[in-house]
Amino acid sequence: MTLNQWIVIAIVALVAAALIIIAVPRQKRALPFEVVMGLATWLVAALSAWLLWGATQSLRALQFLALLSIADIPLLALLVGAFSGALVLTIPLWLMDRFANYDAQDEEP
């Protein structure tokens, strides 16, 4: 893989991670958690995009994802991989945050 291909994967993953983090609401917000969440979502989105790109090249059933490509990079495969990777990380965390029981007695004054 060339440097340009890695840069395209990183940019697509960054955009997907940012959109998913903004779109999925959370009740409790803390800056250290938001930073770790953003970096982890970006990393998982990039790895998922790279994985789906490789699967598109090797599996005949996924060849339809390579129809829209620029500079030998199938953009549709990258988008699907990046968004699905970002969702795989944020949806379980959102569900845990949404349905968690926060007791007021646990907090110290």
Side-chain angles (χ1 to χ4, degrees), residues 56-99:
T56 306
Q57 293 174 348
S58 63
L59 296 174
R60 185 166 175 83
L62 295 176
Q63 289 294 321
F64 71 94
L65 291 174
L67 293 178
L68 177 64
S69 64
I70 297 174
D72 294 332
I73 302 171
L75 291 180
L76 187 59
L78 290 183
L79 288 172
V80 170
F83 276 100
S84 62
L87 284 172
V88 160
L89 185 64
T90 55
I91 294 298
L93 290 174
W94 172 75
L95 288 172
M96 289 175 14
D97 185 41
R98 175 78 172 104
F99 296 111

Side-chain angles (χ1 to χ4, degrees), residues 6-19 42 45-46 49 73-83:
W6 282 111
I7 290 171
V8 169
I9 288 175
I11 290 171
V12 168
L14 183 64
V15 169
L19 290 175
W42 181 45
I73 302 171
L75 291 180
L76 187 59
L78 290 183
L79 288 172
V80 170
F83 276 100

Side-chain angles (χ1 to χ4, degrees), residues 37-58:
M37 179 75 173
L39 291 175
T41 304
W42 181 45
L43 180 65
V44 171
L47 290 174
S48 297
W50 181 54
L51 178 69
L52 192 59
W53 180 20
T56 306
Q57 293 174 348
S58 63

